[in-house]
Amino acid sequence: TIKTAAGTPGGIERTFIAVKLDGVQRGLVSEIIGRFERKGYKLVAIKSVVPSRPIAEAHYGDLRARPFFKGLVDYMTSGRAPVIAMVWEGPDVIRQGRRIIGATNPMDAQPGSIRGDFTLTVGRNIIHGSDSFESATFEIGLWFDPEEVYNWRFTNEEWVVSQN
Ligand code: IDP
Ligand code: MG
């Protein structure tokens, strides 16, 4: 059986994943969704959105003091393409999502990861993923209303997540 306590290592969790506008412009939305989907994770929320400045600033609030912060927020809110905001659910999805995405700097990202396979610079690394249970909880609440996140059950769950 699967532990259901959110935040338990290996337990069922939710994480916030976003294809940033560079990923949208490059036509990599289906590639990115496909990687999470094929792994066995469950898509419980998705929308196309140009974030407001307060949302982008809150989203990257931990980077407020960094020199690239204003440029990052300007970029995210530019509307040159939308962001594809998602919530994915499944065992250990916060940590595994970060592994699927790869290191922040594409030059450190492993081949086989999304950033390792498709990106060259930190300013155009195409995807965001929550880095902890706390940030996942905060980011899901920031980007989504509760009714936009839908609880549903995989009919093939026993073929994807059984331990035996
Ligand atoms: P993460 O996206 O892997 O969690 P963070 O350190 O949280 O990485 O940074 C958030 C985003 O800010 C990065 O994905 C990247 O787009 C941007 N960023 C981070 N460091 C730099 C930098 O040194 N120059 C420009 N942009 C940066
Ligand atoms: Mg981060």
Side-chain angles (χ1 to χ4, degrees):
T1 55
I2 304 296
K3 283 185 239 158
T4 53
T8 307
I12 300 291
E13 302 171 342
R14 287 178 172 176
T15 194
F16 177 73
I17 302 290
V19 184
K20 299 193 273 194
L21 47 163
D22 43 333
V24 176
Q25 282 286 2
R26 292 180 54 194
L28 292 169
V29 174
S30 65
E31 173 69 39
I32 288 167
I33 290 177
R35 287 181 179 217
F36 282 85
E37 209 171 30
R38 294 195 302 268
K39 175 73 172 168
Y41 288 129
K42 184 195 294 180
L43 185 58
V44 295
I46 183 168
K47 65 180 170 187
S48 173
V49 58
V50 177
S52 67
R53 197 153 191 104
I55 287 187
E57 287 178 350
H59 176 76
Y60 286 126
D62 57 327
L63 302 171
R64 208 170 281 270
R66 305 292 289 276
F68 57 85
F69 178 74
K70 184 179 179 296
L72 179 61
V73 171
D74 288 346
Y75 177 66
M76 290 291 285
T77 58
S78 69
R80 294 167 66 201
V83 170
I84 306 300
M86 297 176 276
V87 181
W88 286 89
E89 181 184 287
D92 201 30
V93 69
I94 300 168
R95 190 168 65 97
Q96 298 305 321
R98 293 286 296 194
R99 295 181 71 209
I100 290 166
I101 289 169
T104 303
N105 183 339
M107 293 295 135
D108 298 327
Q110 295 287 337
S113 68
I114 290 168
R115 287 168 172 166
D117 285 351
F118 299 115
T119 72
L120 290 169
T121 67
V122 76
R124 295 291 183 269
N125 63 6
I126 72 170
I127 181 167
H128 169 84
S130 307
D131 64 5
S132 67
F133 177 73
E134 290 71 26
S135 66
T137 305
F138 172 73
E139 290 165 7
I140 291 167
L142 180 68
W143 290 79
F144 286 97
D145 294 330
E147 67 272 16
E148 293 180 306
V149 183
Y150 190 71
N151 275 308
W152 59 284
R153 235 191 108 101
F154 274 136
T155 56
N156 65 343
E157 194 161 291
E158 68 170 303
W159 305 109
V160 182
V161 296
S162 282
Q163 305 279 16
N164 52 37

